[in-house]
Amino acid sequence: MIFLPGFDLEAILRWMPAATALMGVPTFYTRLLSDPRLTRALAAGMRLFVSGSAPLLADTHAEFEARTGHRILERYGMTGNQHVHLEPPTRASGGRARWASRCRGVELRILDQGREVAPGEIGVIEVRGPNVFQGYWQMPEKTAEELRPDGFFVTGDLGCRDAEGYVQIVGRQKDLIISGGYNIYPKEVELLLDEQPGVLESAVVGLPLPDLGEAALAVLVPRPGVTLDPQAVLGAIADRLARFKQPRAAVLVEELPRNTMGKVQKTLLRARYAGLFA
């Protein structure tokens, strides 16, 4: 086991020939792909590459396989339930991962206000199985909020199941933007933004707006050496989104704030730009 205090590109490249598996987050793989030293020869002794904590872009999957000959195994799970899905997902139109089956013994349902949703409808994902934790330490109220009497854990993730049974995750319940009474799922907008030339990654957050309650802000990270025009990026996706889903503005940043697990800290982005639409 090779433990590193944080992601260090030089260290990862140096240790890879001595390792057989890498557990990472999407940022690890995009940064590895930015270095020409990542080759099939360097990864020849590797058995498994795993990504979790946040969705991987379809382009990252394709580029990584072309460069190394390995497919990244994308997993879905949480600290409180470990893995729920663990397999190479198929890709829906737009690049969103779709999982067809679950880990053995794990049940999954999608509910909206207490009822199980029909195929295509969005709700909150709940899971039950031997992998689910028993509760929060010395926090009975939080345990009662997130663990149902029948053993299902409320993940807080929003998702839907299509007619074929594939599950798609569309975002976090706490990140849902409600603008003029309409729901905006940030991941739907982010997938379109990430497709645009020159955009390395993006995050969409809701900010307070008089009358409508909230409006969407797009936070864009340019690819190295690229000069982005934020308004041009928004214009490029305008005809692919309903008007209420379109970000009201876009800003450029060098990088998105992340926690130690590599997850984008949207709370920090909402705080940073809270007064933008006031």
Side-chain angles (χ1 to χ4, degrees):
M1 302 291 288
I2 304 167
F3 290 104
L4 301 174
F7 181 83
D8 181 326
L9 180 61
E10 293 299 325
I12 295 289
L13 293 172
R14 183 172 66 253
W15 280 107
M16 193 175 292
T20 59
L22 173 63
M23 304 293 173
V25 298
T27 306
F28 288 16
Y29 294 104
T30 55
R31 291 182 181 176
L32 281 168
L33 287 169
S34 71
D35 196 298
R37 291 174 292 176
L38 178 68
T39 62
R40 283 177 180 256
L42 185 76
M46 293 293 289
R47 177 180 59 85
L48 178 66
F49 290 95
V50 175
S51 180
S53 295
L56 262 176
L57 296 178
D59 288 348
T60 304
H61 271 282
E63 186 178 354
F64 195 86
E65 185 173 5
R67 286 272 294 278
T68 67
H70 289 273
R71 295 186 67 189
I72 299 171
L73 189 66
E74 192 171 8
R75 64 96 178 160
Y76 167 58
M78 303 178 74
T79 303
N81 57 48
Q82 295 304 304
H83 297 135
V84 177
H85 291 271
L86 181 61
E87 63 173 324
T90 61
R91 293 277 152 180
S93 59
R96 183 177 295 147
R98 306 191 308 166
W99 283 273
S101 62
R102 299 180 299 276
C103 292
R104 185 176 301 171
V106 179
E107 300 172 74
L108 183 148
R109 68 186 184 189
I110 304 175
L111 301 184
D112 180 24
Q113 298 182 347
R115 69 172 182 88
E116 194 148 4
V117 301
E121 292 184 14
I122 294 174
V124 179
I125 296 174
E126 300 185 1
V127 297
R128 180 172 66 181
N131 57 320
V132 175
F133 71 147
Q134 295 181 0
Y136 294 96
W137 175 250
Q138 296 183 348
M139 300 175 69
E141 292 182 359
K142 186 171 177 62
T143 297
E145 287 176 5
E146 300 187 13
L147 276 171
R148 305 285 190 196
D150 60 2
F152 273 91
F153 172 62
V154 183
T155 67
D157 287 323
L158 295 171
C160 62
R161 201 191 308 264
D162 64 20
E164 300 175 78
Y166 286 91
V167 173
Q168 297 184 16
I169 300 168
V170 301
R172 292 286 292 165
Q173 189 175 25
K174 65 182 181 181
D175 293 330
L176 175 67
I177 302 168
I178 302 177
S179 183
Y182 292 98
N183 290 348
I184 302 173
Y185 300 98
K187 181 52 61 179
E188 178 185 3
V189 185
E190 290 164 358
L191 286 170
L192 295 178
L193 292 170
D194 292 340
E195 291 178 358
Q196 302 311 306
V199 175
L200 178 63
E201 58 182 351
S202 66
V204 173
V205 296
L207 302 181
L209 178 69
D211 297 332
L212 294 179
E214 287 185 304
L217 170 71
V219 183
L220 308 174
V221 180
R223 290 187 177 276
V226 173
T227 300
L228 273 185
D229 179 348
Q231 292 307 311
V233 174
L234 295 185
I237 68 169
D239 62 349
R240 300 173 65 184
L241 285 172
R243 183 69 187 91
F244 74 90
K245 297 180 181 180
Q246 296 175 23
R248 189 176 183 87
V251 296
L252 300 178
V253 296
E254 291 185 2
E255 61 181 7
L256 298 174
R258 299 179 183 275
N259 63 15
T260 54
M261 290 294 292
K263 294 182 179 179
V264 175
Q265 298 292 79
K266 290 190 173 182
T267 301
L268 298 181
L269 291 175
R270 284 192 286 266
R272 183 187 303 175
Y273 299 107
L276 189 65
F277 299 152

PDB file of all heavy atoms in Angstrom, residues 178-200:
ATOM      1  N   ILE A 178     -33.947  26.199  -7.746  1.00  0.00           N
ATOM      2  CA  ILE A 178     -35.362  26.422  -8.040  1.00  0.00           C
ATOM      3  C   ILE A 178     -35.521  27.872  -8.476  1.00  0.00           C
ATOM      4  O   ILE A 178     -35.340  28.799  -7.687  1.00  0.00           O
ATOM      5  CB  ILE A 178     -36.242  26.125  -6.819  1.00  0.00           C
ATOM      6  CG1 ILE A 178     -36.027  24.670  -6.373  1.00  0.00           C
ATOM      7  CG2 ILE A 178     -37.712  26.362  -7.150  1.00  0.00           C
ATOM      8  CD1 ILE A 178     -36.802  24.298  -5.126  1.00  0.00           C
ATOM      9  N   SER A 179     -35.839  28.056  -9.739  1.00  0.00           N
ATOM     10  CA  SER A 179     -35.937  29.397 -10.326  1.00  0.00           C
ATOM     11  C   SER A 179     -37.354  29.624 -10.841  1.00  0.00           C
ATOM     12  O   SER A 179     -37.799  28.939 -11.767  1.00  0.00           O
ATOM     13  CB  SER A 179     -34.928  29.548 -11.472  1.00  0.00           C
ATOM     14  OG  SER A 179     -34.954  30.851 -12.001  1.00  0.00           O
ATOM     15  N   GLY A 180     -38.066  30.539 -10.218  1.00  0.00           N
ATOM     16  CA  GLY A 180     -39.434  30.813 -10.625  1.00  0.00           C
ATOM     17  C   GLY A 180     -40.338  29.609 -10.519  1.00  0.00           C
ATOM     18  O   GLY A 180     -41.308  29.471 -11.266  1.00  0.00           O
ATOM     19  N   GLY A 181     -40.033  28.717  -9.565  1.00  0.00           N
ATOM     20  CA  GLY A 181     -40.838  27.516  -9.375  1.00  0.00           C
ATOM     21  C   GLY A 181     -40.404  26.333 -10.222  1.00  0.00           C
ATOM     22  O   GLY A 181     -40.950  25.244 -10.080  1.00  0.00           O
ATOM     23  N   TYR A 182     -39.423  26.522 -11.105  1.00  0.00           N
ATOM     24  CA  TYR A 182     -38.934  25.441 -11.964  1.00  0.00           C
ATOM     25  C   TYR A 182     -37.627  24.871 -11.411  1.00  0.00           C
ATOM     26  O   TYR A 182     -36.774  25.615 -10.915  1.00  0.00           O
ATOM     27  CB  TYR A 182     -38.693  25.951 -13.388  1.00  0.00           C
ATOM     28  CG  TYR A 182     -39.952  26.323 -14.127  1.00  0.00           C
ATOM     29  CD1 TYR A 182     -40.365  27.648 -14.205  1.00  0.00           C
ATOM     30  CD2 TYR A 182     -40.727  25.358 -14.766  1.00  0.00           C
ATOM     31  CE1 TYR A 182     -41.519  28.004 -14.891  1.00  0.00           C
ATOM     32  CE2 TYR A 182     -41.880  25.700 -15.460  1.00  0.00           C
ATOM     33  CZ  TYR A 182     -42.268  27.026 -15.516  1.00  0.00           C
ATOM     34  OH  TYR A 182     -43.414  27.366 -16.184  1.00  0.00           O
ATOM     35  N   ASN A 183     -37.466  23.547 -11.535  1.00  0.00           N
ATOM     36  CA  ASN A 183     -36.254  22.884 -11.058  1.00  0.00           C
ATOM     37  C   ASN A 183     -35.162  22.916 -12.123  1.00  0.00           C
ATOM     38  O   ASN A 183     -35.402  22.583 -13.291  1.00  0.00           O
ATOM     39  CB  ASN A 183     -36.538  21.429 -10.701  1.00  0.00           C
ATOM     40  CG  ASN A 183     -37.395  21.293  -9.465  1.00  0.00           C
ATOM     41  OD1 ASN A 183     -37.603  22.264  -8.731  1.00  0.00           O
ATOM     42  ND2 ASN A 183     -37.895  20.101  -9.224  1.00  0.00           N
ATOM     43  N   ILE A 184     -33.968  23.295 -11.696  1.00  0.00           N
ATOM     44  CA  ILE A 184     -32.789  23.250 -12.559  1.00  0.00           C
ATOM     45  C   ILE A 184     -31.805  22.275 -11.933  1.00  0.00           C
ATOM     46  O   ILE A 184     -31.389  22.454 -10.783  1.00  0.00           O
ATOM     47  CB  ILE A 184     -32.129  24.634 -12.696  1.00  0.00           C
ATOM     48  CG1 ILE A 184     -33.111  25.659 -13.259  1.00  0.00           C
ATOM     49  CG2 ILE A 184     -30.884  24.550 -13.589  1.00  0.00           C
ATOM     50  CD1 ILE A 184     -32.574  27.088 -13.250  1.00  0.00           C
ATOM     51  N   TYR A 185     -31.449  21.236 -12.670  1.00  0.00           N
ATOM     52  CA  TYR A 185     -30.477  20.258 -12.189  1.00  0.00           C
ATOM     53  C   TYR A 185     -29.105  20.647 -12.736  1.00  0.00           C
ATOM     54  O   TYR A 185     -28.857  20.549 -13.944  1.00  0.00           O
ATOM     55  CB  TYR A 185     -30.879  18.848 -12.637  1.00  0.00           C
ATOM     56  CG  TYR A 185     -32.237  18.452 -12.111  1.00  0.00           C
ATOM     57  CD1 TYR A 185     -33.381  18.571 -12.901  1.00  0.00           C
ATOM     58  CD2 TYR A 185     -32.383  18.025 -10.795  1.00  0.00           C
ATOM     59  CE1 TYR A 185     -34.635  18.242 -12.394  1.00  0.00           C
ATOM     60  CE2 TYR A 185     -33.637  17.685 -10.282  1.00  0.00           C
ATOM     61  CZ  TYR A 185     -34.754  17.803 -11.094  1.00  0.00           C
ATOM     62  OH  TYR A 185     -35.991  17.473 -10.592  1.00  0.00           O
ATOM     63  N   PRO A 186     -28.197  21.094 -11.876  1.00  0.00           N
ATOM     64  CA  PRO A 186     -26.908  21.624 -12.347  1.00  0.00           C
ATOM     65  C   PRO A 186     -26.145  20.685 -13.269  1.00  0.00           C
ATOM     66  O   PRO A 186     -25.520  21.136 -14.232  1.00  0.00           O
ATOM     67  CB  PRO A 186     -26.140  21.868 -11.038  1.00  0.00           C
ATOM     68  CG  PRO A 186     -27.208  22.184 -10.042  1.00  0.00           C
ATOM     69  CD  PRO A 186     -28.342  21.260 -10.407  1.00  0.00           C
ATOM     70  N   LYS A 187     -26.193  19.389 -13.004  1.00  0.00           N
ATOM     71  CA  LYS A 187     -25.399  18.453 -13.814  1.00  0.00           C
ATOM     72  C   LYS A 187     -25.812  18.498 -15.285  1.00  0.00           C
ATOM     73  O   LYS A 187     -24.963  18.369 -16.178  1.00  0.00           O
ATOM     74  CB  LYS A 187     -25.542  17.040 -13.250  1.00  0.00           C
ATOM     75  CG  LYS A 187     -24.742  15.980 -13.997  1.00  0.00           C
ATOM     76  CD  LYS A 187     -23.271  16.356 -14.151  1.00  0.00           C
ATOM     77  CE  LYS A 187     -22.547  16.519 -12.838  1.00  0.00           C
ATOM     78  NZ  LYS A 187     -21.120  16.866 -13.042  1.00  0.00           N
ATOM     79  N   GLU A 188     -27.087  18.688 -15.562  1.00  0.00           N
ATOM     80  CA  GLU A 188     -27.550  18.776 -16.952  1.00  0.00           C
ATOM     81  C   GLU A 188     -26.876  19.934 -17.668  1.00  0.00           C
ATOM     82  O   GLU A 188     -26.450  19.820 -18.834  1.00  0.00           O
ATOM     83  CB  GLU A 188     -29.066  18.953 -16.984  1.00  0.00           C
ATOM     84  CG  GLU A 188     -29.645  19.105 -18.392  1.00  0.00           C
ATOM     85  CD  GLU A 188     -31.126  19.400 -18.399  1.00  0.00           C
ATOM     86  OE1 GLU A 188     -31.719  19.553 -17.311  1.00  0.00           O
ATOM     87  OE2 GLU A 188     -31.703  19.487 -19.506  1.00  0.00           O
ATOM     88  N   VAL A 189     -26.738  21.058 -16.987  1.00  0.00           N
ATOM     89  CA  VAL A 189     -26.106  22.232 -17.586  1.00  0.00           C
ATOM     90  C   VAL A 189     -24.600  22.046 -17.662  1.00  0.00           C
ATOM     91  O   VAL A 189     -23.955  22.397 -18.667  1.00  0.00           O
ATOM     92  CB  VAL A 189     -26.452  23.498 -16.769  1.00  0.00           C
ATOM     93  CG1 VAL A 189     -25.903  24.748 -17.459  1.00  0.00           C
ATOM     94  CG2 VAL A 189     -27.965  23.621 -16.588  1.00  0.00           C
ATOM     95  N   GLU A 190     -24.011  21.469 -16.632  1.00  0.00           N
ATOM     96  CA  GLU A 190     -22.561  21.272 -16.593  1.00  0.00           C
ATOM     97  C   GLU A 190     -22.083  20.354 -17.714  1.00  0.00           C
ATOM     98  O   GLU A 190     -21.016  20.574 -18.301  1.00  0.00           O
ATOM     99  CB  GLU A 190     -22.157  20.712 -15.229  1.00  0.00           C
ATOM    100  CG  GLU A 190     -22.300  21.716 -14.100  1.00  0.00           C
ATOM    101  CD  GLU A 190     -22.291  21.088 -12.719  1.00  0.00           C
ATOM    102  OE1 GLU A 190     -22.215  19.836 -12.627  1.00  0.00           O
ATOM    103  OE2 GLU A 190     -22.359  21.836 -11.736  1.00  0.00           O
ATOM    104  N   LEU A 191     -22.853  19.324 -18.024  1.00  0.00           N
ATOM    105  CA  LEU A 191     -22.463  18.417 -19.110  1.00  0.00           C
ATOM    106  C   LEU A 191     -22.348  19.162 -20.434  1.00  0.00           C
ATOM    107  O   LEU A 191     -21.439  18.911 -21.237  1.00  0.00           O
ATOM    108  CB  LEU A 191     -23.472  17.276 -19.235  1.00  0.00           C
ATOM    109  CG  LEU A 191     -23.408  16.205 -18.145  1.00  0.00           C
ATOM    110  CD1 LEU A 191     -24.617  15.281 -18.245  1.00  0.00           C
ATOM    111  CD2 LEU A 191     -22.118  15.405 -18.261  1.00  0.00           C
ATOM    112  N   LEU A 192     -23.267  20.089 -20.692  1.00  0.00           N
ATOM    113  CA  LEU A 192     -23.212  20.867 -21.923  1.00  0.00           C
ATOM    114  C   LEU A 192     -22.043  21.849 -21.905  1.00  0.00           C
ATOM    115  O   LEU A 192     -21.347  22.019 -22.915  1.00  0.00           O
ATOM    116  CB  LEU A 192     -24.523  21.633 -22.120  1.00  0.00           C
ATOM    117  CG  LEU A 192     -25.775  20.786 -22.344  1.00  0.00           C
ATOM    118  CD1 LEU A 192     -27.003  21.676 -22.481  1.00  0.00           C
ATOM    119  CD2 LEU A 192     -25.623  19.915 -23.593  1.00  0.00           C
ATOM    120  N   LEU A 193     -21.802  22.472 -20.763  1.00  0.00           N
ATOM    121  CA  LEU A 193     -20.685  23.412 -20.654  1.00  0.00           C
ATOM    122  C   LEU A 193     -19.347  22.700 -20.860  1.00  0.00           C
ATOM    123  O   LEU A 193     -18.454  23.221 -21.532  1.00  0.00           O
ATOM    124  CB  LEU A 193     -20.708  24.099 -19.284  1.00  0.00           C
ATOM    125  CG  LEU A 193     -21.865  25.063 -19.026  1.00  0.00           C
ATOM    126  CD1 LEU A 193     -21.898  25.468 -17.568  1.00  0.00           C
ATOM    127  CD2 LEU A 193     -21.764  26.302 -19.928  1.00  0.00           C
ATOM    128  N   ASP A 194     -19.221  21.521 -20.280  1.00  0.00           N
ATOM    129  CA  ASP A 194     -17.958  20.782 -20.369  1.00  0.00           C
ATOM    130  C   ASP A 194     -17.653  20.328 -21.793  1.00  0.00           C
ATOM    131  O   ASP A 194     -16.499  20.024 -22.112  1.00  0.00           O
ATOM    132  CB  ASP A 194     -17.987  19.570 -19.436  1.00  0.00           C
ATOM    133  CG  ASP A 194     -17.994  19.959 -17.968  1.00  0.00           C
ATOM    134  OD1 ASP A 194     -17.601  21.097 -17.661  1.00  0.00           O
ATOM    135  OD2 ASP A 194     -18.400  19.130 -17.134  1.00  0.00           O
ATOM    136  N   GLU A 195     -18.669  20.265 -22.642  1.00  0.00           N
ATOM    137  CA  GLU A 195     -18.461  19.880 -24.043  1.00  0.00           C
ATOM    138  C   GLU A 195     -17.861  21.005 -24.878  1.00  0.00           C
ATOM    139  O   GLU A 195     -17.338  20.757 -25.971  1.00  0.00           O
ATOM    140  CB  GLU A 195     -19.789  19.477 -24.690  1.00  0.00           C
ATOM    141  CG  GLU A 195     -20.395  18.184 -24.178  1.00  0.00           C
ATOM    142  CD  GLU A 195     -21.720  17.907 -24.858  1.00  0.00           C
ATOM    143  OE1 GLU A 195     -22.168  18.733 -25.693  1.00  0.00           O
ATOM    144  OE2 GLU A 195     -22.328  16.863 -24.557  1.00  0.00           O
ATOM    145  N   GLN A 196     -17.924  22.235 -24.388  1.00  0.00           N
ATOM    146  CA  GLN A 196     -17.535  23.374 -25.206  1.00  0.00           C
ATOM    147  C   GLN A 196     -16.018  23.461 -25.340  1.00  0.00           C
ATOM    148  O   GLN A 196     -15.281  23.211 -24.385  1.00  0.00           O
ATOM    149  CB  GLN A 196     -18.091  24.672 -24.617  1.00  0.00           C
ATOM    150  CG  GLN A 196     -19.600  24.672 -24.475  1.00  0.00           C
ATOM    151  CD  GLN A 196     -20.300  24.217 -25.752  1.00  0.00           C
ATOM    152  OE1 GLN A 196     -20.071  24.763 -26.832  1.00  0.00           O
ATOM    153  NE2 GLN A 196     -21.149  23.195 -25.628  1.00  0.00           N
ATOM    154  N   PRO A 197     -15.535  23.817 -26.530  1.00  0.00           N
ATOM    155  CA  PRO A 197     -14.089  23.943 -26.743  1.00  0.00           C
ATOM    156  C   PRO A 197     -13.470  24.924 -25.757  1.00  0.00           C
ATOM    157  O   PRO A 197     -14.000  26.004 -25.525  1.00  0.00           O
ATOM    158  CB  PRO A 197     -14.002  24.480 -28.182  1.00  0.00           C
ATOM    159  CG  PRO A 197     -15.284  24.061 -28.826  1.00  0.00           C
ATOM    160  CD  PRO A 197     -16.320  24.122 -27.739  1.00  0.00           C
ATOM    161  N   GLY A 198     -12.367  24.525 -25.166  1.00  0.00           N
ATOM    162  CA  GLY A 198     -11.654  25.407 -24.254  1.00  0.00           C
ATOM    163  C   GLY A 198     -12.084  25.314 -22.816  1.00  0.00           C
ATOM    164  O   GLY A 198     -11.438  25.887 -21.932  1.00  0.00           O
ATOM    165  N   VAL A 199     -13.185  24.578 -22.524  1.00  0.00           N
ATOM    166  CA  VAL A 199     -13.652  24.436 -21.151  1.00  0.00           C
ATOM    167  C   VAL A 199     -13.081  23.146 -20.561  1.00  0.00           C
ATOM    168  O   VAL A 199     -13.337  22.061 -21.071  1.00  0.00           O
ATOM    169  CB  VAL A 199     -15.190  24.406 -21.068  1.00  0.00           C
ATOM    170  CG1 VAL A 199     -15.643  24.137 -19.633  1.00  0.00           C
ATOM    171  CG2 VAL A 199     -15.778  25.712 -21.574  1.00  0.00           C
ATOM    172  N   LEU A 200     -12.303  23.295 -19.485  1.00  0.00           N
ATOM    173  CA  LEU A 200     -11.746  22.118 -18.820  1.00  0.00           C
ATOM    174  C   LEU A 200     -12.794  21.473 -17.922  1.00  0.00           C
ATOM    175  O   LEU A 200     -12.983  20.254 -17.944  1.00  0.00           O
ATOM    176  CB  LEU A 200     -10.519  22.521 -17.987  1.00  0.00           C
ATOM    177  CG  LEU A 200      -9.859  21.397 -17.191  1.00  0.00           C
ATOM    178  CD1 LEU A 200      -9.320  20.323 -18.123  1.00  0.00           C
ATOM    179  CD2 LEU A 200      -8.748  21.949 -16.303  1.00  0.00           C
TER     180      LEU A 200
END
